[in-house]
Amino acid sequence: MASYISSSSFTFNVIVALALLVVFTGSSSAQLSTSFYSTSCPKVFSAVRPVLINAISKAPRLGASLLRLHFHDCFVNGCDGSVLLDDTATFKGEKTAAPNNRSIRGFKIVDDIKTAVEKVCPGVVSCADILAIAARDSVVILGGPDWAVKVGRRDSKTASFTDAGNGQLPSGLSNLTELIRRFRNKGLSTQDMVALSGAHTIGQARCITFRDRIYNDTNIDSSFAKLRRSTCPRKTGGRKNLAPMDIQTPNHFDNKYFKNLLSQKGLLHSDQELYNGGSTDSLVKTYVNYPKTFNNDFVTAMINMGDIEPLTGSSGEIRKNCRRPN
Ligand code: HEM
Ligand SMILES: *[C@@H]1O[C@H](CO)[C@@H](O)[C@H](O)[C@H]1NC(C)=O
Ligand SMILES: *[C@@H]1O[C@H](CO)[C@@H](O)[C@H](O)[C@H]1NC(C)=O
Ligand SMILES: *[C@@H]1O[C@H](CO)[C@@H](O)[C@H](O)[C@H]1NC(C)=O
């Protein structure tokens, strides 16, 4: 009897200790797992992929836009699908905050993916997870590395215009110190920051985001600056004109972004900051010389970014429509 009591109190203590561990680890990212939907929605991944293959084959930039959406979701109050909420007459969400306004895109394809997923398992898969899966699939479809996506995030019931515009997201004008700081504030290392910047191997930027660089920066290749100036006038007009973030292979996920930095052909001021005589020069060179190292570090960093403050357990909800709370 005595031994029964002591073993059950031992068990009790272990349970208490584990519970405290869960509480005090803070972030609940431990609850995300690659098998979260293996019984509740085993077809989720096979429902998402064909929608994206079809859409990206017609419009490759969509892959870039979706990768960026996941980033902008995660950096503002965690990966909780908040970036997807539409404004209403009484609610101002993240979509028109400075870093996002007229800039983030891909919402229609997110709706299409959600529709496909709801068809195979209604009410089960969150919009936050759809963004994480779509980001991974986009990278794969455009020729980048593959990895198992952790899922199990739930969706926020709200979003914050203020938090999306108060300097948590990095700016294309940021210097290296500032880039490192903003990623560290989200629990991401300098290596994560440099590797994740490699996302700029795909997609486009508007003139307004690189105008100062092509007219005022001195650490820029002169023929490259001249080329970009031809569609991005110094004074007025052309604000929305696009240029590829990777001058070589803008629709292919590879390490050319880093090669461009070596020849001072980074499009954004923040891009060239990664190779401008500072502490991250050596890592940029590593990614140029060892594409596999870039791929591995990118995957690690994507998983770390996807772990930022998810809603799990009974927090939040599983939205039926990604654009509004249930
Ligand atoms: C390191 C700090 C970063 C800065 C300063 C930054 C800044 C920017 C800016 C200014 C644009 C152009 C936006 C526009 O023209 O409206 C852009 C585009 C883009 N960013 Fe970043 N970004 C950063 C990190 C990231 C990360 C971590 C990812 C994803 C993992 C990412 C993915 C993208 C993609 C794919 C595009 C092109 C989107 C499209 O074509 O629709 N960026 N970024
Ligand atoms: C978003 O951009 C548009 C067009 O430049 C502008 O009219 C609008 O005021 C901006 N919204 C916010 C909230 O800044
Ligand atoms: C980098 O940017 C921050 C924020 O804008 C600024 O305070 C700092 O002085 C800058 N550092 C350098 C070395 O330019
Ligand atoms: C470049 O720098 C000058 C002088 O500081 C400034 O007036 C101008 O607005 C900057 N940007 C461009 C695109 O010329």
Side-chain angles (χ1 to χ4, degrees):
M1 201 59 198
S3 80
Y4 168 71
I5 287 166
S6 76
S7 103
S8 92
S9 80
F10 172 75
T11 308
F12 177 74
N13 285 337
V14 168
I15 289 170
V16 168
L18 285 175
L20 287 175
L21 194 69
V22 168
V23 169
F24 286 110
T25 359
S27 135
S28 44
S29 62
Q31 293 171 50
L32 300 185
S33 91
T34 57
S35 59
F36 186 84
Y37 294 119
S38 59
T39 51
S40 61
C41 190
K43 290 184 179 157
V44 58
F45 299 111
S46 56
V48 175
R49 183 70 63 104
V51 179
L52 283 172
I53 290 175
N54 181 48
I56 293 173
S57 70
K58 290 179 196 148
R61 188 184 174 200
L62 266 180
S65 304
L66 289 167
L67 177 56
R68 186 165 184 241
L69 267 190
H70 179 48
F71 162 49
H72 280 217
D73 186 30
C74 292
F75 263 57
V76 181
N77 298 323
C79 315
D80 61 356
S82 54
V83 73
L84 300 174
L85 292 177
D86 278 345
D87 287 5
T88 69
T90 55
F91 166 77
K92 201 167 160 195
E94 296 173 13
K95 285 184 176 178
T96 59
N100 293 337
N101 193 22
R102 310 256 163 153
S103 179
I104 50 171
R105 56 199 293 281
F107 301 109
K108 163 109 186 7
I109 188 74
V110 172
D111 292 340
D112 293 347
I113 297 168
K114 178 67 169 170
T115 301
V117 169
E118 289 295 294
K119 216 175 259 175
V120 293
C121 20
V124 174
V125 178
S126 67
C127 299
D129 279 346
I130 284 175
L131 288 182
I133 298 166
R136 186 274 312 268
D137 283 8
S138 296
V139 169
V140 172
I141 292 166
L142 293 172
D146 199 355
W147 68 95
V149 182
K150 286 164 74 175
V151 284
R153 302 169 190 81
R154 291 168 64 83
D155 297 321
S156 69
K157 296 179 183 175
T158 187
S160 171
F161 175 83
T162 310
D163 292 345
N166 67 4
Q168 299 188 65
L169 283 164
S171 150
L173 307 173
S174 299
N175 60 36
L176 181 61
T177 314
E178 190 62 17
L179 292 170
I180 291 172
R181 193 179 72 80
R182 291 191 190 192
F183 278 70
R184 194 194 289 123
N185 284 346
K186 296 292 161 188
L188 300 178
S189 68
T190 299
Q191 178 186 299
D192 289 332
M193 186 276 289
V194 176
L196 285 170
S197 297
H200 291 175
T201 177
I202 53 175
Q204 314 260 328
R206 291 166 305 156
C207 162
I208 189 179
T209 67
F210 57 81
R211 180 181 271 153
D212 281 346
R213 166 153 175 76
I214 60 175
Y215 288 101
N216 281 349
D217 280 2
T218 51
N219 62 352
I220 187 168
D221 176 87
S222 58
S223 63
F224 175 68
K226 195 171 166 218
L227 176 69
R228 290 292 164 254
R229 286 173 190 164
S230 68
T231 55
C232 181
R234 179 194 283 268
K235 290 242 158 28
T236 47
R239 290 160 54 97
K240 291 185 286 187
N241 291 354
L242 297 172
M245 314 214 38
D246 168 1
I247 187 177
Q248 300 187 62
T249 53
N251 293 327
H252 195 75
F253 194 101
D254 53 25
N255 71 340
K256 298 268 172 35
Y257 165 83
F258 296 105
K259 290 191 181 167
N260 298 333
L261 298 184
L262 295 195
S263 53
Q264 300 197 312
K265 289 175 186 159
L267 183 61
L268 304 177
H269 178 80
S270 55
D271 291 328
Q272 198 60 56
E273 279 290 298
L274 305 182
Y275 189 81
N276 192 37
S279 63
T280 52
D281 280 17
S282 59
L283 190 53
V284 169
K285 278 192 200 145
T286 300
Y287 292 161
V288 170
N289 294 325
Y290 302 96
K292 282 209 171 105
T293 304
F294 164 53
N295 281 350
N296 289 338
D297 288 1
F298 181 78
V299 165
T300 300
M302 282 296 288
I303 293 169
N304 291 340
M305 185 173 83
D307 275 345
I308 298 174
E309 298 170 39
L311 296 171
T312 56
S314 58
S315 309
E317 62 183 10
I318 304 298
R319 263 180 234 150
K320 291 189 172 66
N321 178 330
C322 291
R323 293 173 182 269
R324 50 180 174 268
N326 293 340

